Amino acid sequence: MSNHHWPDPLQPAQPELVAGLLAAFWETLADLPELIERDEHLLAAETTVALRATVLRMMLALNGIERPAATRHLNTYLGASQRAAIEKTLLAPAVAGESWIGQAVALVVIYRWYAPQLVEKHALAYPQAAEDAALAALQRLPDWPLAITTD
């Protein structure tokens, strides 16, 4: 067991890292439809975990930091509402395509809250082509919503 120091050494979020996160979200999400169609539940679950990790890093970036490596104190770096929002995406009522779709939709909602703020803060180009490609792939799934609105 390694010795975890507190506090973690914090690094500011770099624009290149943030740009990579914005695009990686859609690139990862684009893998989900094919996995769901083939009932690859383990891989679909791993994909939603990767999406959640990306969104979490986006949240931390908007808070001004990169995710500290091997942190044991992640709650410390998130506001209560941030933590509540992302923890809701952990729910999987069953091992089924609908569960992974539900998690992915919830993560898209959070992404759409953070991405524009990060684009503005870091003067980045939004990865529209990656989003369009992912959403086109997802439309094949009967349970994928036609529109995702943020409230």
Side-chain angles (χ1 to χ4, degrees):
M1 186 79 177
S2 64
N3 184 12
H4 291 287
H5 298 286
W6 173 252
D8 293 305
L10 299 180
Q11 303 295 322
Q14 299 301 316
E16 316 80 60
L17 169 95
V18 174
L21 294 173
L22 293 174
F25 178 86
W26 296 115
E27 292 160 6
T28 303
L29 184 56
D31 293 338
L32 197 58
E34 184 234 351
L35 297 172
I36 289 173
E37 288 166 344
R38 293 190 295 109
D39 291 328
E40 284 282 357
H41 296 299
L42 294 168
L43 292 174
E46 286 180 359
T47 300
T48 58
V49 166
L51 291 170
R52 187 176 303 105
T54 300
V55 168
L56 184 57
R57 292 178 70 196
M58 288 171 57
M59 288 176 152
L60 294 172
L62 195 63
N63 292 354
I65 62 168
E66 284 188 24
R67 180 179 172 157
T71 184
R72 308 285 290 164
H73 304 277
L74 199 52
N75 288 345
T76 313
Y77 308 121
L78 295 167
S81 63
Q82 289 179 315
R83 202 164 76 236
I86 200 144
E87 284 176 354
K88 277 185 199 155
T89 72
L90 294 168
L91 298 174
V95 177
E98 296 79 23
S99 294
W100 321 130
I101 291 170
Q103 289 184 358
V105 168
L107 289 162
V108 167
V109 170
I110 298 170
Y111 177 97
R112 287 194 171 153
W113 175 256
Y114 284 89
Q117 298 176 73
L118 288 165
V119 164
E120 185 177 334
K121 180 177 180 173
H122 296 284
L124 300 170
Y126 185 83
Q128 192 63 55
E131 177 179 341
D132 294 345
L135 292 177
L138 289 156
Q139 294 302 332
R140 297 195 322 246
L141 297 171
D143 294 322
W144 187 262
L146 291 176
I148 300 172
T149 55
T150 52
D151 43 18

